[in-house]
């Protein structure tokens, strides 16, 4: 199974987003750098709007993620409620 990942800038805005991604993907691997955090997962990684909203205490549009997004690896499926990175088998 191939690894997918998302890399985000490290700042106050992304800290709860990273926490939400880790919460929704308990088997992921987190690599924190001074200016970015990279989250790797085997096969699939899910980013859920609802989990982010619970942690930040307000409505959140997944499009806001693009402001702090550095790069992703994998195929991307996105709805208003979640973003899924995956590789086809």
């Amino acid at each position: 199974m191939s690894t997918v990942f998302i890399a985000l800038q490290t700042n106050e805005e992304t800290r709860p987003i990273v926490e939400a991604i880790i919460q929704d993907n308990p088997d992921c691997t987190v690599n924190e750098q001074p200016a970015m955090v990279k989250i790797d997962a085997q096969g699939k990684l899910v980013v859920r709007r609802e989990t982010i909203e619970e942690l930040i205490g307000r409505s959140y549009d997944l499009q806001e993620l693009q402001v702090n997004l550095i790069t992703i690896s994998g195929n991307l499926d996105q709805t208003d409620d979640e973003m899924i990175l995956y590789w086809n088998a």
Side-chain angles (χ1 to χ4, degrees):
M1 194 176 308
S2 297
T3 302
V4 296
F5 70 80
I6 187 168
L8 301 167
Q9 295 176 32
T10 299
N11 58 43
E12 290 304 314
E13 218 175 289
T14 59
R15 290 185 211 294
I17 296 167
V18 169
E19 187 178 331
I21 294 170
I22 294 167
Q23 183 176 320
D24 288 335
N25 301 275
D27 294 329
C28 70
T29 302
V30 180
N31 181 357
E32 295 187 51
Q33 304 286 321
M36 75 166 206
V37 60
K38 182 177 173 230
I39 304 168
D40 298 285
Q42 288 296 314
K44 183 171 109 172
L45 184 100
V46 180
V47 180
R48 290 190 176 91
R49 178 188 52 78
E50 182 178 35
T51 308
I52 295 170
E53 288 178 344
E54 288 172 5
L55 293 173
I56 65 174
R58 67 169 178 86
S59 295
Y60 187 81
D61 184 334
L62 286 177
Q63 295 296 318
E64 293 178 57
L65 190 66
Q66 309 240 354
V67 173
N68 293 296
L69 181 65
I70 296 171
T71 189
I72 60 172
S73 174
N75 296 319
L76 173 66
D77 277 346
Q78 185 170 345
T79 66
D80 290 342
D81 295 322
E82 65 184 14
M83 177 191 323
I84 301 172
L85 296 172
Y86 66 95
W87 287 116
N88 290 333

